[in-house]
Amino acid sequence: MGRRVLFRGGHVYSPADPFATALLLDGDAVAWVGSDGAALAHADGVDEVVELDGALVAPAFVDAHVHATATGLALTGLDLRSAGSPGELLDAVAAAAAASPGETVFGAGWDGTAWGVPVPTPAELDRATGGGWCYLAHADGHSALVSTPLLAAVRKSAEAAGDRTGGLAAGRGSADGAAVVTGAAHDVARRLALDSISPAARAAAQRATRARAAAVGIGCLHELAGPHLAGQDDLVALQRLAAQEPGPAVIAYWAQLHAVDTARQLGAVGAGGELVVDGSLDSGTAWLRAPYADRPGSGLPRLDAPELAAHLVACTRAGLQGGASAVGDAAVDLVVAALQLAAAEVGTAAIRAARHRLEHADLIRPEQLATLVDLGVMVCVQPAADARWGGPGGMYEQRLGADRAAATHPLALLSARGTGLALSSAAPVTPLDPWAAVRAAAFHHNPAHRISVRAAFAAHTRGGWRAARRDDAGVLVPGAAATLAVWAVEDLVVQAPDERIATWSTDARSGTPGLPDLTPGAPEPQCLLTVVDGDVAYVDPRLRRGPGVHEDRTRP
């Protein structure tokens, strides 16, 4: 029989009781939710009592789109987000190469938008690394700086990989050849770089990702894997790690066309996810209906509608989720067309039952939503990307112009149309920081696109489970899985997305459970405990835990 743990003296976010202050876990399930007074009836039969001291108990977050190994390498390796110039980047690369001679230098997070000068050339990276392999992922996750030896390996493989997006792109003004790889060439560079790390380094990176996720209240990660990312061995290793060590659960997706059998063999719930239709806005590879505002062209697709439709049909018939990654509005058009073709072949009901997924959808139009809603598609978005690149003068505005930039990430529209919505980080593109994502959704740079904190929280908890076709998870009610997080909070309020009405309320008569005040500038909640299926994944020493009184009912 599992351990019985009583939480009391706080706030419990539960539809079973909006005024609950206590909760009882029995092994891997929630056994009871109620008041402190009623909790006295359970206190004599528990193994442990957790004194909440006013803390909030809520469902653990689900990050519905991550790349665990790349995220772990960014956490433990070379973080280039603060590099303010090519020189600072090169200095950091040189220091990393000197610290680990002979190993591939991994870096992530650089963004040269504000540098005003060309990015480093492969020759400059060669000098910094001493001629070694170097892979520096751009902040958008769809392009990278690479050194000459890695670039040479990419060039040998790029033609076989079928680069239809101009992957060996000119290096943004570099004088001596390509510095930035994008498209299919970037896929090859990333895979080759990740393949070069040792199993021990891979395990360390994956542990770092799961540890960080647990420390910020994430109880489940959707790993979006594929042959263009880190390969089958990487996914198998991550699943093995998750099965053997405490931490967030891992739900696997395998993004490879016409590879239903492979997805099944890998234990994936879907053969989709990061099946890439286009690229990113920053690199100019997202596929748009109209040309970019700051460069020629409008991007190109990497798939066509009939081949994606055939893939969705195969997934549907196999009982697996399919889906694709599309950023630009033209790319979303292609996904919509593919879904319609698939529905024409297997029927609308079958497509709806499959609950296919659309990742990113930065530029999604109202007329596209009718089909997505009708066909039961889950849309997985990253609000933190809007917080980073949206708003006046931001990267979106530079690439798209003010009018189109104002239309990015229309969360209110998605919510109002009844779209199945899940929030995620797409880590390492944005950090594992779910409260920041909820805040970004509630305080979108365009007020017309904001949703309430409550709606955003639901999309980042229950929505993530629904995106994996687990409709019974993500709420704290009797019988539900014991997957939760405990948060040190200052105030609990009910926040609305529209500034024309009161943006928050503390009136208990509403019967609406409160959530932390996420007004910009307010302190972010601090995680005290993360529990996954009844097992502790993270605990902060500030949390007061003590033995309960467990009656021996076998005595006469």
Side-chain angles (χ1 to χ4, degrees):
M1 184 176 178
R3 284 170 52 80
R4 290 168 61 83
V5 181
L6 177 65
F7 297 78
R8 66 186 182 189
H11 307 274
V12 180
Y13 192 85
S14 170
D17 183 350
F19 309 109
T21 57
L23 174 141
L24 177 66
L25 301 185
D26 190 348
D28 61 358
V30 176
W32 170 86
V33 176
S35 68
D36 282 352
L40 294 173
H42 301 280
D44 289 341
V46 300
D47 300 287
E48 183 180 357
V49 175
V50 177
E51 301 291 353
L52 294 170
D53 296 325
L56 171 68
V57 183
F61 286 104
V62 178
D63 195 318
H65 184 142
V66 301
H67 307 290
T69 300
T71 300
L73 289 170
L75 288 169
T76 61
L78 189 55
D79 185 346
L80 297 172
R81 286 176 294 178
S82 62
S85 68
E88 289 183 12
L89 181 145
L90 291 168
D91 288 344
V93 169
S100 302
E103 297 184 14
T104 300
V105 175
F106 282 89
W110 67 273
D111 185 351
T113 304
W115 288 353
V117 293
V119 298
T121 65
E124 290 172 321
L125 290 175
D126 296 344
R127 288 192 289 272
T129 60
W133 275 28
C134 180
Y135 171 85
L136 309 178
H138 186 272
D140 66 8
H142 286 266
S143 59
L145 286 167
V146 298
S147 59
T148 299
L150 179 53
L151 182 60
V154 169
R155 290 188 174 187
K156 290 179 181 179
S157 303
E159 290 184 7
D163 179 14
R164 288 183 278 177
T165 62
L168 296 177
R172 297 183 185 172
S174 300
D176 58 347
V180 179
V181 289
T182 65
H186 171 250
D187 294 346
V188 176
R190 175 173 51 198
R191 178 176 53 79
L192 291 173
L194 289 171
D195 284 349
S196 72
I197 68 174
S198 67
R202 185 186 308 277
Q206 293 175 347
R207 284 192 180 98
T209 296
R210 295 184 73 235
R212 174 62 64 85
V216 294
I218 296 172
C220 179
L221 300 168
H222 292 196
E223 172 69 10
L224 270 59
H228 58 296
L229 295 160
Q232 295 186 27
D233 291 345
D234 184 86
L235 180 58
V236 170
L238 176 63
Q239 292 175 298
R240 184 184 301 119
L241 193 70
Q244 295 174 347
E245 300 180 5
V250 171
I251 295 176
Y253 289 83
W254 182 252
Q256 184 176 8
L257 277 175
H258 316 309
V260 167
D261 290 341
T262 302
R264 280 177 164 166
Q265 292 165 7
L266 291 170
V269 303
E274 201 76 299
L275 194 62
V276 180
V277 174
D278 64 346
S280 71
L281 290 169
D282 190 76
S283 64
T285 53
W287 187 29
L288 308 178
R289 290 178 176 179
Y292 283 89
D294 64 343
R295 61 190 64 200
S298 55
L300 292 170
R302 298 179 62 181
L303 298 174
D304 60 40
E307 64 183 337
L308 178 56
H311 177 75
L312 294 172
V313 166
C315 291
T316 303
R317 287 174 170 162
L320 292 175
Q321 285 180 283
S325 165
V327 171
D329 45 9
V332 177
D333 283 338
L334 187 150
V335 175
V336 168
L339 285 162
Q340 291 171 325
L341 289 171
E345 183 165 344
V346 299
T348 297
I351 294 295
R352 287 185 61 86
R355 200 176 295 177
H356 299 306
R357 292 176 51 149
L358 173 61
E359 311 296 322
H360 301 307
D362 293 16
L363 269 177
I364 190 167
R365 304 298 182 178
E367 66 273 15
Q368 297 165 332
L369 288 177
T371 298
L372 296 176
V373 172
D374 184 54
L375 296 179
V377 175
M378 290 293 303
V379 180
C380 181
V381 299
Q382 296 81 43
D386 177 79
R388 179 168 185 176
W389 292 301
M395 182 270 288
Y396 290 160
E397 187 172 287
Q398 294 176 38
R399 297 288 178 271
L400 302 172
D403 289 343
R404 280 190 295 172
T408 56
H409 301 288
L411 300 177
L413 178 66
L414 291 168
S415 181
R417 296 296 178 91
T419 312
L421 189 62
L423 304 191
S424 70
S425 64
V429 175
T430 66
L432 295 168
D433 190 347
W435 282 119
V438 173
R439 174 178 276 157
F443 295 94
H444 192 290
H445 82 272
N446 184 344
H449 295 331
R450 294 174 182 173
I451 58 177
S452 69
V453 169
R454 189 180 184 200
F457 182 78
H460 219 338
T461 52
R462 194 169 190 178
W465 291 109
R466 292 189 65 243
R469 302 195 297 191
R470 287 278 306 277
D471 294 348
D472 59 336
V475 290
L476 297 181
V477 296
T483 297
L484 56 83
V486 177
W487 302 94
V489 295
E490 293 189 1
D491 297 301
L492 294 180
V493 299
V494 179
Q495 289 172 308
D498 194 332
E499 293 180 346
R500 293 172 298 181
I501 59 176
T503 58
W504 61 272
S505 171
T506 57
D507 190 344
R509 291 174 298 179
S510 69
T512 302
L515 285 167
D517 180 7
L518 296 182
T519 304
E524 192 168 294
Q526 297 299 302
C527 187
L528 299 175
L529 178 73
T530 304
V531 176
V532 179
D533 289 329
D535 294 325
V536 174
Y538 169 80
V539 63
D540 186 291
R542 292 176 292 173
L543 190 69
R544 290 201 295 143
R545 305 165 66 193
V549 178
H550 195 84
E551 293 179 342
D552 185 354
R553 302 183 186 277
T554 64
R555 294 180 180 180

